[in-house]
Amino acid sequence: MEQRITPQHIRKNNRNRIYEHIYKQGSEGSSQQEIIAALAMSRPTVAYNLNELEKDGLILKKGLLETEQAGRKPTIWTANADYKIAIGVEILHHVVKIISINLYAAKIDRTVIEIEFKNQESYFKNISDEVKKFISSLKLKNPAKKILGIGIAIQGLVSEDGKTVIYGEIFKCTGLKIDVFTRWLDYPCRFVHEPDGAALSELWVSPELDNAIYLSLSVHLGGALIFGRKINNGLHRHSTTFEHIQAKPDGDLCYCGKHGCFETICSMSALVGEDNEPDEFFNKVRSGEREAAERWQKFLDYLACLILNLHLVVDTKYILGGHLAPFFTEDDIKILHNEIRKRTPFKEDDDFILISKMPSHNITIGAALPYIIEFLEDEGITA
């Protein structure tokens, strides 16, 4: 049976279209006349909805439009970026990172806490306390109403509903439930697979990106398959776990229990060690220190091999992201393309390996983003 279009549907559609138009203008905003022209709506309809949206707090008066015409200057409206916010948390072995973002996914505040991971109630309570302390520091008038939810990025595969870690060998936490946090935090919470969060933040800043494989080159290697601007986790939620493709059968032991996985040669920890930051290593590489330069070249060789194998299966764009992304140069990308051309039977152009557009805070922001996206979609906006 066809759904009947009611006056209520029409009113909601008009409201959503006006809010979407204003939201997409960003900080520039839009005047009533510009909205009328852009959406082909009547002046009374636009005026009424502007009044309602302002009353609800979704939009704000930015100021007056500068014009040479005589008479009253038009008001400029912008979306209230801080109308709702979301919290992102990234759990690592030795630290926890927390960020708050607004409706444009812009950072409001951020903190990093040094704390050793332990699969114990006391640890989860400590993290929850730190999150509450962080929220308190934001000085929100009504946190319960303002905060959409808390996304918790973890180095493990998670269930579709984000409530369970279904494979967590890195932290030995397979089966972990989200209630280890929700028992302490009075907000919606969900787990996010770390590479999925990073890929989600990449989609946010790349509206032109439809299909790609995102390689998360962080402490651990991971990835995400982007298809039709959606992350595809596959039938059993473990698509793109190419970190466990065996590259060297006699290689180092991987956390999965097998030897020589790409995780053991193409992760940041394989390159610089789990306890080392990459800054010092790349200072040595760029200054021409021989041992570091040779190590980096070997890493690029392995990475080229991984991308080639994947590219032979999925001919798409490959985005280098994660904690190592800021350290790649255009020369490094040329090296990868050249190494791949040596090994492939096909003529390959230098057009399918890209550096992430969002290397900073991509995982924590990505963990928070699902809540922002869901809110905007409820308001008729497709991010």
Side-chain angles (χ1 to χ4, degrees):
M1 182 182 291
E2 288 187 16
Q3 187 177 9
R4 224 174 122 216
I5 299 176
T6 66
Q8 185 178 358
H9 287 136
I10 295 171
R11 285 194 296 271
K12 181 173 175 54
N13 183 58
N14 287 339
R15 173 191 168 98
N16 286 352
R17 289 178 65 205
I18 292 169
Y19 179 56
E20 178 181 34
H21 175 82
I22 294 171
Y23 175 87
K24 289 190 172 178
Q25 305 314 303
S27 60
E28 291 297 314
S30 191
S31 69
Q32 178 176 288
Q33 191 58 43
E34 288 169 337
I35 297 167
I36 291 169
L39 303 181
M41 287 184 181
S42 69
R43 186 177 297 277
T45 295
V46 173
Y48 171 80
N49 280 285
L50 287 174
N51 183 58
E52 290 298 303
L53 288 165
E54 183 188 24
K55 190 189 301 180
D56 292 342
L58 282 160
I59 63 173
L60 303 168
K61 291 176 181 173
K62 178 186 177 183
L64 300 177
L65 180 66
E66 290 300 323
T67 174
E68 294 180 358
Q69 296 179 356
R72 186 177 176 184
K73 295 180 179 179
T75 298
I76 294 294
W77 301 89
T78 57
N80 180 2
D82 295 329
Y83 177 72
K84 298 286 184 181
I85 70 172
I87 307 295
V89 178
E90 181 184 2
I91 294 178
L92 298 168
H93 270 296
H94 309 300
V95 299
V96 170
K97 302 176 182 180
I98 308 173
I99 202 167
S100 53
I101 61 172
N102 65 20
L103 289 178
Y104 285 97
K107 181 188 78 172
I108 299 170
D109 201 2
R110 179 177 179 267
T111 189
V112 178
I113 300 108
E114 293 187 7
I115 182 170
E116 295 291 322
F117 178 85
K118 292 180 182 177
N119 192 359
Q120 298 174 0
E121 183 175 350
S122 59
Y123 172 84
F124 301 117
K125 184 180 184 303
N126 284 343
I127 298 304
S128 300
D129 288 343
E130 291 294 342
V131 171
K132 287 190 279 190
K133 190 188 302 181
F134 175 77
I135 290 172
S136 178
S137 72
L138 298 176
K139 302 188 184 307
L140 305 174
K141 286 185 178 179
N142 190 345
K145 187 177 179 182
K146 195 91 164 173
I147 296 173
L148 295 168
I150 301 169
I152 300 164
I154 192 163
Q155 295 168 345
L157 304 180
V158 306
S159 60
E160 188 172 358
D161 60 11
K163 292 181 179 180
T164 307
V165 177
I166 60 175
Y167 182 82
E169 281 302 301
I170 291 174
F171 289 133
K172 304 299 179 187
C173 65
T174 299
L176 187 69
K177 300 291 186 183
I178 197 64
D179 64 10
V180 298
F181 290 106
T182 54
R183 72 184 59 164
W184 310 109
L185 296 168
D186 294 326
Y187 302 96
C189 297
R190 69 177 69 174
F191 287 123
V192 177
H193 184 210
E194 189 179 273
D196 287 353
L200 197 58
S201 67
E202 192 69 29
L203 281 167
W204 182 268
V205 297
S206 305
E208 78 290 350
L209 185 64
D210 288 320
N211 306 312
I213 287 182
Y214 182 94
L215 288 87
S216 182
L217 303 169
S218 292
V219 176
H220 295 280
L221 176 65
L225 172 62
I226 299 168
F227 184 74
R229 289 194 60 77
K230 300 291 183 184
I231 295 173
N232 188 329
N233 287 301
L235 182 63
H236 301 107
R237 305 288 297 173
H238 58 67
S239 282
T240 60
T241 51
F242 42 71
E243 62 266 31
H244 298 302
I245 296 173
Q246 193 176 50
K248 299 170 68 179
D250 59 346
D252 293 338
L253 181 67
C254 176
Y255 64 80
C256 75
K258 310 296 188 220
H259 284 269
C261 297
F262 271 105
E263 160 70 20
T264 66
I265 55 177
C266 278
S267 61
M268 189 174 81
S269 58
L271 179 66
V272 301
E274 284 194 18
D275 297 325
N276 296 322
E277 288 295 328
D279 303 72
E280 183 179 346
F281 172 77
F282 280 98
N283 285 338
K284 293 177 180 178
V285 171
R286 304 311 175 195
S287 64
E289 186 176 303
R290 182 178 173 182
E291 183 181 350
E294 289 177 353
R295 200 164 162 189
W296 179 233
Q297 182 59 55
K298 192 173 183 180
F299 181 90
L300 291 175
D301 289 345
Y302 286 138
L303 183 58
C305 181
L306 172 60
I307 295 173
L308 170 62
N309 289 334
L310 298 174
H311 196 234
L312 290 172
V313 179
V314 185
D315 182 10
T316 189
K317 295 186 183 299
Y318 287 77
I319 300 169
L320 306 184
H323 297 143
L324 282 182
F327 299 97
F328 277 88
T329 65
E330 290 301 327
D331 285 341
D332 294 329
I333 303 303
K334 287 179 183 177
I335 290 171
L336 289 172
H337 277 118
N338 287 335
E339 288 302 317
I340 288 171
R341 267 195 293 271
K342 291 177 186 176
R343 306 171 190 184
T344 180
F346 306 108
K347 180 182 179 297
E348 297 286 5
D349 294 325
D350 292 1
D351 64 351
F352 64 93
I353 303 176
L354 310 171
I355 301 173
S356 168
K357 289 183 180 179
M358 191 173 185
S360 298
H361 318 316
N362 55 359
I363 295 169
T364 43
I365 287 176
L369 264 174
Y371 291 105
I372 299 294
I373 292 170
E374 286 170 8
F375 172 81
L376 293 176
E377 287 178 348
D378 286 344
E379 296 293 334
I381 300 174
T382 302

